[in-house]
Amino acid sequence: MTDTGTAGAPPHPDRLRRSLTLGCSVAGAVIVALDGTVLTVVQPVLQRDLDASFAQVQWTSTGYLIAVASLLVFAGRLGDRYGHRRLFAVGTLGFALASAGIGLASGIGWVIALRVVQGVCGALLQPATLGMLRAAYPPDKIAMPIALRTSAIGLAAATGPLLGGALATHLGWRSVFFLNVVPALAIGVIALLVRVPAPRRRGPAPGLDVPGAVLLAVTLAALVHTLVAVAEAGPSVGTAAGLLVAAGACGAFTWHERRTPGPLVPPGLLASAAVGPALCVLLAASAAMFGTLFVGTYFLQDVLALDPLRSAVEALPLAAMMVVAAPLAAVLLRAHGPRRTITAAMAVLTVGVLVLSRLGPDPASVTVGGGFLLVGAGFGTVMVAVTAVVVRHAPVGEAGVTGGLQQTAMNVGPALGVALATALMTLLAPATTRPGAPAPRWSDGDFVAAMGPTLTVLAVVAAFGALVAARLPRRTAVATEPAGSDAPPPVSAAPTPPSAGSAPTARPAPGRRDAG
């Protein structure tokens, strides 16, 4: 929406609209990020308390991930058609009720089912974030709100394990799920009750394309399930079959989208000079970062024998730099444009992964911290800059679908990175399988020997993202449709990255140190 107030100040409805959008975006980011990080911390005690198997506990993460990843784009289209405020309110209230249900669950089956419900609700509320930011802020002012939200995500990622561990220790694992209930309910009620005037939609409402949504959901569900299976048990015949199912469904989706009069994903969106490359960069960056963090965490805990709290402190520079880099990214984006900013950030991320790939059995703390610092600085900058590019380029009427695509990249990327890291560690390490053991194990030296090449490959993935970033426009073209021209009122939630709820949390064979 164009500012029309005196002395450069927007009119009162605009100020209220933007304040509500930004406030709910930051609060939603914290809620979703905390939910994922605290779950990872309490999974062992949850398993013991509910007498669950290891595989069942892993499905508390896998079920959420599959549900959210497969529905994000369709949920974004629902927001484009029926209003992002409504979708945000339903998703947030549902997320709160599901959290309360998990805290009261009597068995692991209920926990898994309610985590799937949380994934559905998360898919409803997440694309609304970008859709409402696109409607509430002019394109040239949207980078800083996205940066503030990213800083909140980094802060939640840093404090989540500590807060979850403290609550689980003193109040039990159920308390961590009650943590988000009241804030989420409050935000959802605000979204329902507070209505800020907004211009009516220009043109007809977009179609839903249910067949396309089903094909895309099958594609993403099969892909994510396969990647999680690789991370948990390594490559197998089953994972190969999963990839074939994903490829077949993807082919059918592409064929359908080219022939339907109202496609789920507008054909010009991914083909644009900004959105397609930006999503590819985000996929590469999240895969490299989460794969590196996955291997690095096992290195700290298994090779260096650090407890979870000490290992979290060693990796703290990553989260801290995300908090610092996010607002700086907005400034760099305005001064240097997306091509230079994102290419440089991907280069920093690549260097950080390479530094960690050179760690030995007895590394200096400054080297470990420096590697994580570079990874956090690069990824934090990329996440803000890429999201700003995608949101600025999208017309308001397609902001929900665009936000869904961005969120999909942020959910599939971590799964891809962890699966790639697991497959490489399994292939490169000379592991031996003991009779009756569920998985191969190896010594510290073998793990370190495999870690170097594995992280080098992840650095190549990041470098590929830098090459793609070099194809971005020097200055992002702004969609001709003015901000604020869509009908839905402006309340939003936050995306999940880099919460643990967006990545597999299994402890696969590569992470296990030889007991001897």
Side-chain angles (χ1 to χ4, degrees), residues 21-70:
T21 301
L22 184 57
C24 288
S25 181
V26 171
V30 172
I31 288 172
V32 176
L34 280 177
D35 180 83
T37 55
V38 298
L39 173 67
T40 304
V41 173
V42 303
Q43 278 182 328
V45 65
L46 182 152
Q47 178 182 358
R48 293 192 297 269
D49 187 54
L50 298 181
D51 194 24
S53 68
F54 181 75
Q56 287 175 320
V57 171
Q58 294 314 304
W59 267 100
T60 61
S61 295
T62 302
Y64 176 94
L65 179 60
I66 291 175
V68 71
S70 60

Short mmCIF file of all heavy atoms in Angstrom, two decimals, residues 21-70:
data_model
loop_
_atom_site.label_atom_id
_atom_site.label_comp_id
_atom_site.label_asym_id
_atom_site.label_seq_id
_atom_site.Cartn_x
_atom_site.Cartn_y
_atom_site.Cartn_z
N THR A 21 1.05 -6.97 11.93
CA THR A 21 1.73 -7.95 11.09
C THR A 21 3.09 -8.30 11.65
O THR A 21 3.44 -9.47 11.80
CB THR A 21 1.89 -7.40 9.67
OG1 THR A 21 0.60 -7.11 9.14
CG2 THR A 21 2.61 -8.39 8.78
N LEU A 22 3.89 -7.30 11.97
CA LEU A 22 5.24 -7.54 12.46
C LEU A 22 5.22 -8.21 13.84
O LEU A 22 5.98 -9.15 14.10
CB LEU A 22 6.02 -6.23 12.53
CG LEU A 22 7.50 -6.35 12.93
CD1 LEU A 22 8.25 -7.29 12.00
CD2 LEU A 22 8.15 -4.97 12.94
N GLY A 23 4.34 -7.73 14.72
CA GLY A 23 4.26 -8.32 16.06
C GLY A 23 3.88 -9.78 16.03
O GLY A 23 4.49 -10.62 16.69
N CYS A 24 2.85 -10.11 15.25
CA CYS A 24 2.44 -11.51 15.15
C CYS A 24 3.48 -12.35 14.43
O CYS A 24 3.66 -13.53 14.74
CB CYS A 24 1.09 -11.59 14.44
SG CYS A 24 -0.30 -11.01 15.42
N SER A 25 4.18 -11.75 13.48
CA SER A 25 5.21 -12.49 12.77
C SER A 25 6.34 -12.90 13.71
O SER A 25 6.79 -14.04 13.70
CB SER A 25 5.76 -11.63 11.62
OG SER A 25 6.73 -12.32 10.90
N VAL A 26 6.79 -11.96 14.52
CA VAL A 26 7.87 -12.26 15.47
C VAL A 26 7.41 -13.27 16.51
O VAL A 26 8.10 -14.26 16.81
CB VAL A 26 8.37 -10.97 16.13
CG1 VAL A 26 9.34 -11.28 17.26
CG2 VAL A 26 9.05 -10.07 15.10
N ALA A 27 6.21 -13.04 17.08
CA ALA A 27 5.70 -13.98 18.09
C ALA A 27 5.49 -15.36 17.50
O ALA A 27 5.81 -16.38 18.13
CB ALA A 27 4.39 -13.44 18.67
N GLY A 28 4.96 -15.42 16.29
CA GLY A 28 4.77 -16.72 15.65
C GLY A 28 6.08 -17.42 15.38
O GLY A 28 6.19 -18.65 15.50
N ALA A 29 7.10 -16.65 14.99
CA ALA A 29 8.42 -17.25 14.75
C ALA A 29 8.95 -17.91 16.01
O ALA A 29 9.48 -19.02 15.98
CB ALA A 29 9.39 -16.18 14.26
N VAL A 30 8.82 -17.22 17.14
CA VAL A 30 9.32 -17.75 18.40
C VAL A 30 8.56 -19.01 18.80
O VAL A 30 9.14 -20.02 19.23
CB VAL A 30 9.23 -16.69 19.50
CG1 VAL A 30 9.57 -17.28 20.86
CG2 VAL A 30 10.17 -15.52 19.19
N ILE A 31 7.23 -18.99 18.64
CA ILE A 31 6.41 -20.13 19.03
C ILE A 31 6.77 -21.37 18.22
O ILE A 31 6.99 -22.45 18.77
CB ILE A 31 4.91 -19.78 18.86
CG1 ILE A 31 4.48 -18.79 19.94
CG2 ILE A 31 4.05 -21.04 18.90
CD1 ILE A 31 3.08 -18.25 19.74
N VAL A 32 6.84 -21.23 16.90
CA VAL A 32 7.12 -22.39 16.05
C VAL A 32 8.55 -22.88 16.25
O VAL A 32 8.80 -24.09 16.32
CB VAL A 32 6.86 -22.03 14.58
CG1 VAL A 32 7.25 -23.18 13.67
CG2 VAL A 32 5.40 -21.68 14.37
N ALA A 33 9.51 -21.96 16.35
CA ALA A 33 10.90 -22.38 16.54
C ALA A 33 11.11 -23.06 17.88
O ALA A 33 11.78 -24.09 17.97
CB ALA A 33 11.83 -21.18 16.40
N LEU A 34 10.51 -22.53 18.94
CA LEU A 34 10.64 -23.14 20.26
C LEU A 34 10.03 -24.53 20.27
O LEU A 34 10.57 -25.46 20.88
CB LEU A 34 9.98 -22.26 21.32
CG LEU A 34 10.76 -21.06 21.82
CD1 LEU A 34 9.93 -20.26 22.81
CD2 LEU A 34 12.08 -21.48 22.44
N ASP A 35 8.89 -24.69 19.61
CA ASP A 35 8.22 -25.99 19.60
C ASP A 35 9.14 -27.07 19.04
O ASP A 35 9.21 -28.19 19.56
CB ASP A 35 6.94 -25.90 18.77
CG ASP A 35 6.19 -27.22 18.73
OD1 ASP A 35 5.44 -27.49 19.69
OD2 ASP A 35 6.34 -27.96 17.74
N GLY A 36 9.86 -26.76 17.96
CA GLY A 36 10.74 -27.75 17.37
C GLY A 36 11.97 -28.03 18.20
O GLY A 36 12.37 -29.19 18.38
N THR A 37 12.59 -26.98 18.74
CA THR A 37 13.84 -27.18 19.48
C THR A 37 13.61 -27.89 20.81
O THR A 37 14.40 -28.75 21.20
CB THR A 37 14.54 -25.84 19.73
OG1 THR A 37 13.63 -24.94 20.38
CG2 THR A 37 15.00 -25.23 18.42
N VAL A 38 12.53 -27.55 21.51
CA VAL A 38 12.30 -28.21 22.80
C VAL A 38 11.89 -29.67 22.61
O VAL A 38 12.19 -30.51 23.45
CB VAL A 38 11.23 -27.46 23.63
CG1 VAL A 38 11.69 -26.05 23.95
CG2 VAL A 38 9.88 -27.44 22.93
N LEU A 39 11.24 -29.99 21.49
CA LEU A 39 10.88 -31.39 21.23
C LEU A 39 12.13 -32.25 21.14
O LEU A 39 12.18 -33.35 21.69
CB LEU A 39 10.08 -31.50 19.94
CG LEU A 39 9.80 -32.94 19.48
CD1 LEU A 39 8.86 -33.63 20.45
CD2 LEU A 39 9.22 -32.96 18.07
N THR A 40 13.15 -31.76 20.46
CA THR A 40 14.38 -32.53 20.33
C THR A 40 15.00 -32.82 21.68
O THR A 40 15.51 -33.93 21.92
CB THR A 40 15.39 -31.74 19.46
OG1 THR A 40 14.78 -31.44 18.20
CG2 THR A 40 16.65 -32.54 19.23
N VAL A 41 14.94 -31.86 22.58
CA VAL A 41 15.56 -32.03 23.90
C VAL A 41 14.82 -33.07 24.74
O VAL A 41 15.43 -33.86 25.46
CB VAL A 41 15.59 -30.68 24.64
CG1 VAL A 41 16.06 -30.86 26.07
CG2 VAL A 41 16.50 -29.71 23.91
N VAL A 42 13.47 -33.12 24.64
CA VAL A 42 12.69 -33.96 25.54
C VAL A 42 12.38 -35.33 24.96
O VAL A 42 11.75 -36.15 25.64
CB VAL A 42 11.37 -33.28 25.94
CG1 VAL A 42 11.62 -31.92 26.57
CG2 VAL A 42 10.43 -33.15 24.74
N GLN A 43 12.81 -35.63 23.74
CA GLN A 43 12.47 -36.92 23.14
C GLN A 43 12.95 -38.12 23.97
O GLN A 43 12.20 -39.09 24.11
CB GLN A 43 13.02 -37.00 21.72
CG GLN A 43 12.11 -36.31 20.70
CD GLN A 43 12.63 -36.44 19.28
OE1 GLN A 43 13.83 -36.48 19.05
NE2 GLN A 43 11.72 -36.48 18.32
N PRO A 44 14.16 -38.12 24.52
CA PRO A 44 14.57 -39.29 25.32
C PRO A 44 13.68 -39.54 26.53
O PRO A 44 13.27 -40.68 26.79
CB PRO A 44 16.01 -38.94 25.73
CG PRO A 44 16.48 -37.99 24.68
CD PRO A 44 15.28 -37.18 24.33
N VAL A 45 13.35 -38.50 27.29
CA VAL A 45 12.52 -38.71 28.48
C VAL A 45 11.08 -39.03 28.08
O VAL A 45 10.38 -39.80 28.75
CB VAL A 45 12.58 -37.47 29.41
CG1 VAL A 45 11.98 -36.24 28.75
CG2 VAL A 45 11.87 -37.76 30.73
N LEU A 46 10.60 -38.47 26.97
CA LEU A 46 9.28 -38.81 26.44
C LEU A 46 9.23 -40.30 26.10
O LEU A 46 8.24 -40.99 26.38
CB LEU A 46 8.97 -37.95 25.22
CG LEU A 46 7.61 -38.09 24.52
CD1 LEU A 46 7.23 -36.77 23.85
CD2 LEU A 46 7.62 -39.19 23.46
N GLN A 47 10.28 -40.80 25.49
CA GLN A 47 10.34 -42.21 25.12
C GLN A 47 10.24 -43.10 26.36
O GLN A 47 9.50 -44.09 26.37
CB GLN A 47 11.63 -42.50 24.37
CG GLN A 47 11.80 -43.96 23.97
CD GLN A 47 13.12 -44.21 23.26
OE1 GLN A 47 13.89 -43.28 23.02
NE2 GLN A 47 13.38 -45.46 22.91
N ARG A 48 10.97 -42.76 27.40
CA ARG A 48 10.94 -43.57 28.62
C ARG A 48 9.58 -43.49 29.32
O ARG A 48 9.04 -44.50 29.78
CB ARG A 48 12.05 -43.11 29.57
CG ARG A 48 13.46 -43.39 29.06
CD ARG A 48 14.48 -43.18 30.16
NE ARG A 48 14.51 -41.79 30.63
CZ ARG A 48 15.30 -40.86 30.11
NH1 ARG A 48 16.12 -41.16 29.10
NH2 ARG A 48 15.29 -39.63 30.59
N ASP A 49 9.02 -42.29 29.39
CA ASP A 49 7.77 -42.11 30.13
C ASP A 49 6.60 -42.82 29.46
O ASP A 49 5.71 -43.36 30.14
CB ASP A 49 7.47 -40.62 30.27
CG ASP A 49 6.27 -40.36 31.17
OD1 ASP A 49 6.27 -40.84 32.32
OD2 ASP A 49 5.32 -39.68 30.72
N LEU A 50 6.57 -42.81 28.13
CA LEU A 50 5.46 -43.44 27.39
C LEU A 50 5.79 -44.86 26.94
O LEU A 50 5.00 -45.47 26.20
CB LEU A 50 5.09 -42.58 26.18
CG LEU A 50 4.59 -41.17 26.49
CD1 LEU A 50 4.22 -40.44 25.21
CD2 LEU A 50 3.38 -41.22 27.42
N ASP A 51 6.94 -45.38 27.33
CA ASP A 51 7.36 -46.73 26.97
C ASP A 51 7.28 -46.93 25.46
O ASP A 51 6.72 -47.91 24.96
CB ASP A 51 6.48 -47.76 27.69
CG ASP A 51 7.07 -49.17 27.62
OD1 ASP A 51 8.31 -49.28 27.45
OD2 ASP A 51 6.29 -50.14 27.70
N ALA A 52 7.87 -45.99 24.73
CA ALA A 52 7.80 -46.00 23.26
C ALA A 52 9.11 -46.54 22.69
O ALA A 52 10.16 -46.51 23.35
CB ALA A 52 7.54 -44.59 22.74
N SER A 53 9.04 -47.00 21.45
CA SER A 53 10.24 -47.43 20.75
C SER A 53 10.96 -46.22 20.17
O SER A 53 10.39 -45.13 20.05
CB SER A 53 9.89 -48.40 19.63
OG SER A 53 9.16 -47.73 18.60
N PHE A 54 12.21 -46.43 19.77
CA PHE A 54 12.98 -45.35 19.18
C PHE A 54 12.32 -44.87 17.88
O PHE A 54 12.24 -43.68 17.61
CB PHE A 54 14.41 -45.81 18.91
CG PHE A 54 15.30 -44.75 18.32
CD1 PHE A 54 15.79 -43.73 19.10
CD2 PHE A 54 15.65 -44.78 16.98
CE1 PHE A 54 16.62 -42.75 18.57
CE2 PHE A 54 16.47 -43.82 16.44
CZ PHE A 54 16.95 -42.80 17.23
N ALA A 55 11.85 -45.81 17.06
CA ALA A 55 11.21 -45.46 15.80
C ALA A 55 9.94 -44.65 16.03
O ALA A 55 9.65 -43.69 15.30
CB ALA A 55 10.89 -46.72 14.99
N GLN A 56 9.17 -45.01 17.05
CA GLN A 56 7.95 -44.26 17.35
C GLN A 56 8.27 -42.82 17.75
O GLN A 56 7.58 -41.88 17.33
CB GLN A 56 7.17 -44.95 18.47
CG GLN A 56 6.49 -46.24 18.05
CD GLN A 56 5.83 -46.94 19.22
OE1 GLN A 56 6.40 -47.00 20.33
NE2 GLN A 56 4.66 -47.51 19.00
N VAL A 57 9.30 -42.65 18.55
CA VAL A 57 9.67 -41.30 18.97
C VAL A 57 10.12 -40.47 17.77
O VAL A 57 9.80 -39.29 17.66
CB VAL A 57 10.78 -41.36 20.04
CG1 VAL A 57 11.32 -39.97 20.33
CG2 VAL A 57 10.24 -41.97 21.32
N GLN A 58 10.83 -41.09 16.83
CA GLN A 58 11.26 -40.35 15.65
C GLN A 58 10.09 -39.88 14.80
O GLN A 58 10.15 -38.85 14.14
CB GLN A 58 12.22 -41.20 14.82
CG GLN A 58 13.54 -41.49 15.52
CD GLN A 58 14.14 -40.26 16.15
OE1 GLN A 58 14.36 -39.25 15.51
NE2 GLN A 58 14.40 -40.32 17.45
N TRP A 59 8.99 -40.63 14.85
CA TRP A 59 7.81 -40.22 14.08
C TRP A 59 7.13 -38.99 14.67
O TRP A 59 6.31 -38.35 13.99
CB TRP A 59 6.82 -41.38 13.97
CG TRP A 59 7.04 -42.16 12.72
CD1 TRP A 59 7.71 -43.35 12.59
CD2 TRP A 59 6.60 -41.80 11.41
NE1 TRP A 59 7.73 -43.74 11.27
CE2 TRP A 59 7.05 -42.81 10.53
CE3 TRP A 59 5.87 -40.73 10.88
CZ2 TRP A 59 6.80 -42.77 9.16
CZ3 TRP A 59 5.62 -40.69 9.53
CH2 TRP A 59 6.09 -41.70 8.68
N THR A 60 7.45 -38.62 15.89
CA THR A 60 6.93 -37.35 16.40
C THR A 60 7.51 -36.17 15.63
O THR A 60 6.88 -35.11 15.54
CB THR A 60 7.25 -37.18 17.90
OG1 THR A 60 8.67 -37.17 18.09
CG2 THR A 60 6.65 -38.32 18.71
N SER A 61 8.71 -36.35 15.06
CA SER A 61 9.30 -35.33 14.19
C SER A 61 8.96 -35.58 12.73
O SER A 61 8.60 -34.65 12.00
CB SER A 61 10.82 -35.30 14.36
OG SER A 61 11.20 -34.91 15.65
N THR A 62 9.04 -36.84 12.30
CA THR A 62 8.82 -37.17 10.90
C THR A 62 7.38 -36.86 10.49
O THR A 62 7.13 -36.32 9.40
CB THR A 62 9.13 -38.65 10.65
OG1 THR A 62 10.48 -38.92 11.02
CG2 THR A 62 8.94 -39.00 9.18
N GLY A 63 6.41 -37.21 11.32
CA GLY A 63 5.01 -36.95 11.00
C GLY A 63 4.74 -35.47 10.82
O GLY A 63 4.01 -35.06 9.89
N TYR A 64 5.30 -34.66 11.68
CA TYR A 64 5.15 -33.21 11.56
C TYR A 64 5.75 -32.71 10.26
O TYR A 64 5.14 -31.93 9.52
CB TYR A 64 5.81 -32.52 12.75
CG TYR A 64 5.79 -31.01 12.68
CD1 TYR A 64 4.79 -30.28 13.29
CD2 TYR A 64 6.80 -30.31 12.01
CE1 TYR A 64 4.77 -28.89 13.23
CE2 TYR A 64 6.78 -28.93 11.93
CZ TYR A 64 5.76 -28.23 12.55
OH TYR A 64 5.75 -26.86 12.46
N LEU A 65 6.95 -33.16 9.98
CA LEU A 65 7.67 -32.67 8.81
C LEU A 65 6.95 -33.03 7.52
O LEU A 65 6.82 -32.20 6.61
CB LEU A 65 9.08 -33.25 8.80
CG LEU A 65 9.99 -32.86 7.64
CD1 LEU A 65 10.19 -31.36 7.60
CD2 LEU A 65 11.32 -33.57 7.74
N ILE A 66 6.47 -34.26 7.40
CA ILE A 66 5.77 -34.67 6.19
C ILE A 66 4.49 -33.86 6.01
O ILE A 66 4.17 -33.39 4.91
CB ILE A 66 5.46 -36.17 6.24
CG1 ILE A 66 6.76 -36.98 6.13
CG2 ILE A 66 4.50 -36.57 5.12
CD1 ILE A 66 6.57 -38.47 6.29
N ALA A 67 3.74 -33.67 7.09
CA ALA A 67 2.47 -32.93 6.99
C ALA A 67 2.71 -31.49 6.58
O ALA A 67 2.03 -30.97 5.67
CB ALA A 67 1.74 -32.99 8.34
N VAL A 68 3.65 -30.83 7.20
CA VAL A 68 3.85 -29.42 6.91
C VAL A 68 4.43 -29.21 5.52
O VAL A 68 4.00 -28.32 4.77
CB VAL A 68 4.73 -28.75 8.00
CG1 VAL A 68 6.17 -29.19 7.92
CG2 VAL A 68 4.65 -27.23 7.91
N ALA A 69 5.40 -30.05 5.13
CA ALA A 69 6.05 -29.85 3.84
C ALA A 69 5.11 -30.11 2.68
O ALA A 69 5.16 -29.43 1.65
CB ALA A 69 7.28 -30.75 3.73
N SER A 70 4.22 -31.10 2.82
CA SER A 70 3.36 -31.48 1.70
C SER A 70 2.21 -30.52 1.49
O SER A 70 1.60 -30.51 0.41
CB SER A 70 2.83 -32.90 1.92
OG SER A 70 2.07 -32.97 3.11
#
